[in-house]
Amino acid sequence: MTEQLLDSYVERAKNYLAMQRQQNLFFENDGIFGDPAWELLLGIFIATESDQCVMKSELLVDLSTTPAIASRWIDIFSDNDYIVECEQQGKVGIRMTDSARAECAAYLDAVLLL
């Protein structure tokens, strides 16, 4: 993929997350409309497309769920080959697999056409 196309996917993913988080400003119980799995997966996608190995603790900063739920989803992503471990500055983190990156990109393309 070209760098311009990658930037477009990252921007779309960031916009999607921002739109989802805006719901919290209008509804008292922000957990009702949350989708922690998708939010987490997009966070990993953004980090991977930005050529980063992301630490699990970094993903939890803006996540609208508990660390326990996020950890369970990370395990599920790993079991389904959506993510793999990577190393950055001597620490073990995670990044998205190439096939999962392609699936996210295809989804973001489809959403853009709506």
Side-chain angles (χ1 to χ4, degrees):
M1 283 188 230
T2 67
E3 187 156 332
Q4 185 179 14
L5 186 57
L6 289 177
D7 289 343
S8 173
Y9 287 128
V10 169
E11 283 306 309
R12 282 187 239 170
K14 286 180 179 179
N15 289 339
Y16 186 95
L17 284 175
M19 183 179 64
Q20 187 173 358
R21 290 177 179 143
Q22 284 293 312
Q23 292 171 339
N24 297 343
L25 299 175
F26 299 96
F27 299 97
E28 279 185 41
N29 187 344
D30 58 346
I32 291 175
F33 300 106
D35 187 351
W38 182 237
E39 192 176 338
L40 184 60
L41 195 64
L42 281 179
I44 298 167
F45 175 78
I46 291 167
T48 301
E49 294 304 310
S50 301
D51 201 30
Q52 296 177 13
C53 178
V54 65
M55 301 300 120
K56 293 176 187 178
S57 59
E58 293 173 23
L59 288 169
L60 300 178
V61 173
D62 291 324
L63 201 58
S64 61
T65 192
T66 66
I69 291 173
S71 291
R72 282 193 294 259
W73 278 114
I74 289 171
D75 290 342
I76 291 168
F77 295 157
S78 181
D79 291 345
N80 287 280
D81 297 321
Y82 289 145
I83 61 170
V84 292
E85 288 187 345
C86 54
E87 189 175 322
Q88 182 173 315
Q89 298 174 346
K91 296 181 181 179
V92 176
I94 54 176
R95 65 183 297 116
M96 192 169 274
T97 63
D98 289 341
S99 60
R101 289 170 65 194
E103 290 171 3
C104 276
Y107 173 80
L108 292 168
D109 279 339
V111 169
L112 184 65
L113 297 175
L114 294 178

